[in-house]
């Protein structure tokens, strides 16, 4: 009997993902992760059944260091730490509709923003960002279509953002092709916190800074196709139009030919870069930006032990940035339920035409920034991930409430993902990040 | 431009039946980023001028300074 049950268990575990993914309309919107905006379609991991409520608890620790802080005009520390916990809940309401919620926070400490006021402790030195996104999707299995709508909000000290989204996906009868379209609108409000020496009243409070707005319109189109029994691909483009304030108000820019005296003369040289004799200005960028990236994903099941996941992106925008990004990930199945996946990512980009390093802008420039995120550089990321997802889950425990049969509800910890990445940029920026995902099913 | 001809050619590929998708239905064959990658993708969207078309953040709140 035990052998029979074990056999049935293994068969059901193997069959469940196959049924879940080959029924027309049930493939998730490719190229989409639930980390921002509102969820636009069902996104149930393979190791959990489509009719289960799934909960993912995400956490981690991020730390970066660098020497080109934009707050100090392209020099100074870029030290930043961030703890970004989040919970993603995916609830099937019935056989066709599903609710998704993504709620989280960023607890970050930034040495660079201390330099706004030339002080070691300012309101922006330690800050918290809260975000919540909620979505509803409806799937018509017979037609192979998925409709979705959603909305979200994000709030931090100097930034407030709301967003709305709508999506549509159509899957072919045989489940081998899918076209998905999604539109997002982000409406942001930015508090204009300028560097202390550029304020008319240095002691004024947050309510007196003034605000500006930014609108982002995003249209994503993805076409995915099964190529062979072991190979599938997706082509995606994400057209982005941004209007409004695109520069950061507390980023300084210093000019080699300015004659205006710098009002800040006393400097704690032990902690800060020494000031220059001439005054800075706050970063200024055009109020319109258009981005048009296109990407290709290729996944190949090479052997029963090794798979190949490849990604390439070509990026262009009207700021003059052209970029190439390539990623390669090699999941290795150490056992059927334990996967190790080393990965490597290479990114290279040209500088925005408005970028120049410290003291290399002219006062006659129409637009100017010394933010090294907009400079020309190459970046390498290397790391290792692991996933453990046994057939019967890692553990189970009771939670309050009863199921439809009147029995106590049981939550199962189905999977554990752990990942470490080391990121190094040619502009002297180094970052390390550890992240995890605990996958539960109810 | 290089990718467009490839996209046009994709519909002509062989049809794979549901019972033949045991490899394609593997967790690591999904054509999307993993949820655990979310924090990485977000910081890359802040630290690089180029972004989009990879499921990452393209607008909205910051948390990036």
């Amino acid at each position: 009997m035990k052998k029979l049950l074990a056999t049935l268990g293994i068969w059901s575990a193997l069959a469940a993902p196959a049924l879940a993914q080959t029924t027309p309309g049930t493939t998730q919107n490719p190229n989409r992760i639930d980390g921002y905006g509102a969820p636009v379609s069902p996104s149930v991991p393979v190791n959990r059944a489509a009719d289960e409520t799934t909960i993912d608890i995400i956490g981690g620790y991020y730390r970066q260091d660098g020497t080109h802080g934009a707050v100090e005009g392209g020099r100074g520390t870029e030290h930043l730490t961030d703890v970004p916990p989040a919970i993603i809940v995916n609830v099937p309401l019935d056989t066709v509709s599903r609710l998704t919620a993504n709620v989280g926070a960023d607890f970050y400490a930034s040495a660079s923003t201390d330099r706004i006021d030339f002080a070691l402790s300012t309101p922006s030195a330690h800050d918290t960002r809260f975000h919540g996104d909620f979505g509803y999707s409806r799937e018509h299995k017979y037609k192979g279509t998925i409709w979705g709508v959603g909305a979200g909000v994000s709030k931090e000290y100097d930034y407030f953002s709301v967003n709305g989204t709508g999506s549509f996906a159509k899957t072919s009868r045989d489940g081998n092709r899918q076209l998905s379209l999604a539109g997002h609108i982000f409406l942001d409000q930015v508090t204009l916190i300028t560097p202390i020496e550029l304020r008319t009243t240095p002691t004024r409070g947050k309510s007196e800074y003034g605000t500006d707005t930014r609108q982002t319109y995003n249209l994503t189109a993805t076409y995915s196709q099964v190529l062979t029994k072991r190979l599938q691909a997706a082509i995606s483009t994400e057209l982005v139009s941004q209007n409004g304030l695109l520069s950061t108000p507390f980023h300084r820019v210093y000019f080699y030919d300015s004659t205006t005296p710098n009002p800040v003369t006393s400097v704690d040289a032990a902690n800060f870069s020494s000031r220059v004799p001439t005054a800075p200005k706050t970063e200024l960028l055009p109020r319109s930006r258009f981005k048009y990236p296109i990407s290709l994903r290729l996944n190949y099941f090479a052997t029963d032990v090794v798979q190949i996941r490849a990604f390439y992106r070509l990026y262009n925008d009207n700021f003059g940035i052209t970029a190439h990004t390539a990623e390669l990930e090699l999941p290795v199945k150490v056992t059927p339920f334990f996967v190790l996946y080393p990965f490597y990512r290479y990114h290279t980009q040209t500088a925005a035409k408005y970028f120049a390093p410290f003291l290399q802008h002219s006062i006659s420039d129409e637009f100017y920034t010394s933010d090294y995120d907009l400079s020309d550089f190459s970046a390498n990321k290397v790391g290792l991930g692991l996933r453990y997802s046994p057939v019967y889950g890692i553990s189970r425990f009771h939670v309050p409430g009863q199921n439809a049969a009147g029995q106590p509800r049981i939550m199962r910890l189905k999977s554990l993902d752990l990942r470490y990445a080391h990121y190094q940029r040619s502009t002297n920026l180094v970052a390390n990040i550890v992240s995890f995902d605990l996958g539960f099913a109810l | 431009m290089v990718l467009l001809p490839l996209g046009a050619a994709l519909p002509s590929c062989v049809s794979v039946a549901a019972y033949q998708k045991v490899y394609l239905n593997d967790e690591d064959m999904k054509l999307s980023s993993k949820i655990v990658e979310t924090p990485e993708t977000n910081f890359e969207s802040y630290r690089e001028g180029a972004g989009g078309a990879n499921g990452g953040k393209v607008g909205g709140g910051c948390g990036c300074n």
Side-chain angles (χ1 to χ4, degrees), chain A residues 45-58:
Chain A
V46 171
N47 59 29
R48 281 167 277 180
D51 61 349
E52 287 181 320
T53 293
T54 69
I55 301 167
D56 285 273
I57 298 177
I58 306 169

Side-chain angles (χ1 to χ4, degrees), chain A residues 225-232 300, chain B residues 13-14 16 20 24:
Chain A
Q225 168 77 57
V226 171
L227 298 171
T228 73
K229 295 173 189 173
R230 292 171 177 264
L231 178 65
Q232 57 187 351
Y300 181 55
Chain B
C13 297
V14 297
V16 178
Q20 296 174 312
L24 298 175

Side-chain angles (χ1 to χ4, degrees), chain A residues 341-415:
Chain A
Y341 49 98
F343 55 87
Y344 173 71
R345 176 182 184 273
Y346 177 73
H347 174 84
T348 182
Q349 70 176 49
T350 60
K353 50 193 171 189
Y354 315 114
F355 171 83
F358 178 70
L359 277 180
Q360 292 189 26
H361 269 295
S362 168
I363 200 75
S364 61
D365 288 347
E366 183 181 8
F367 300 107
Y368 35 83
T369 176
S370 294
D371 182 353
Y372 274 70
D373 297 343
L374 300 175
S375 70
D376 67 311
F377 62 80
S378 60
N380 292 279
K381 185 176 80 172
V382 63
L384 181 68
L386 66 86
R387 185 179 67 253
Y388 180 54
S389 55
V391 175
Y392 299 109
I394 298 170
S395 68
R396 56 183 60 205
F397 48 90
H398 289 285
V399 293
Q402 294 180 328
N403 62 18
Q407 296 170 325
R409 303 185 85 176
I410 294 175
M411 177 93 81
R412 298 179 300 281
L413 174 58
K414 299 282 285 188
S415 63

Side-chain angles (χ1 to χ4, degrees), chain A residues 40-77:
Chain A
V40 294
S41 68
S43 178
V44 179
V46 171
N47 59 29
R48 281 167 277 180
D51 61 349
E52 287 181 320
T53 293
T54 69
I55 301 167
D56 285 273
I57 298 177
I58 306 169
Y61 179 74
Y62 171 77
R63 180 190 174 106
Q64 73 172 41
D65 278 296
T67 56
H68 290 294
V71 178
E72 294 186 85
R75 57 178 187 165
T77 179

Side-chain angles (χ1 to χ4, degrees), chain A residues 263-345:
Chain A
V264 176
T265 52
S266 67
V267 172
D268 180 356
N271 292 306
F272 303 111
S273 305
S274 42
R275 303 272 78 77
V276 292
T278 55
K281 286 186 174 184
T282 188
E283 175 185 274
L284 184 62
L285 291 168
R287 294 181 68 87
S288 162
R289 187 177 184 185
F290 183 58
K291 309 176 184 182
Y292 40 104
I294 185 168
S295 71
L296 172 67
R297 284 184 190 273
L298 272 176
N299 288 354
Y300 181 55
F301 202 104
T303 74
D304 287 346
V305 178
V306 179
Q307 290 127 295
I308 299 171
R309 289 167 57 88
F311 173 81
Y312 168 75
R313 176 181 61 195
L314 172 64
Y315 172 95
N316 282 287
D317 67 20
N318 66 340
F319 274 22
I321 295 177
T322 296
H324 302 272
T325 307
E327 293 180 55
L328 188 64
E329 184 180 308
L330 298 175
V332 178
K333 292 190 187 305
V334 180
T335 74
F337 312 115
F338 183 71
V339 182
L340 280 176
Y341 49 98
F343 55 87
Y344 173 71
R345 176 182 184 273

Side-chain angles (χ1 to χ4, degrees), chain A residues 89-164:
Chain A
V89 181
N90 203 321
V91 185
L93 298 177
D94 49 45
T95 55
V96 297
S97 56
R98 183 174 287 273
L99 280 178
T100 309
N102 177 354
V103 179
D106 284 281
F107 300 98
Y108 62 92
S110 168
S112 63
T113 47
D114 272 338
R115 274 58 173 172
I116 297 172
D117 288 350
F118 300 129
L120 276 176
S121 180
T122 69
S124 51
H126 302 278
D127 205 351
T128 306
R129 168 183 171 248
F130 298 102
H131 59 90
D133 296 288
F134 307 91
Y136 171 81
S137 62
R138 194 166 180 85
E139 178 180 0
H140 300 279
K141 288 189 171 66
Y142 178 74
K143 295 180 183 175
T145 59
I146 305 171
W147 293 90
V149 293
V153 64
S154 169
K155 176 79 178 81
E156 62 192 300
Y157 181 75
D158 59 343
Y159 211 102
F160 178 71
S161 174
V162 295
N163 72 75

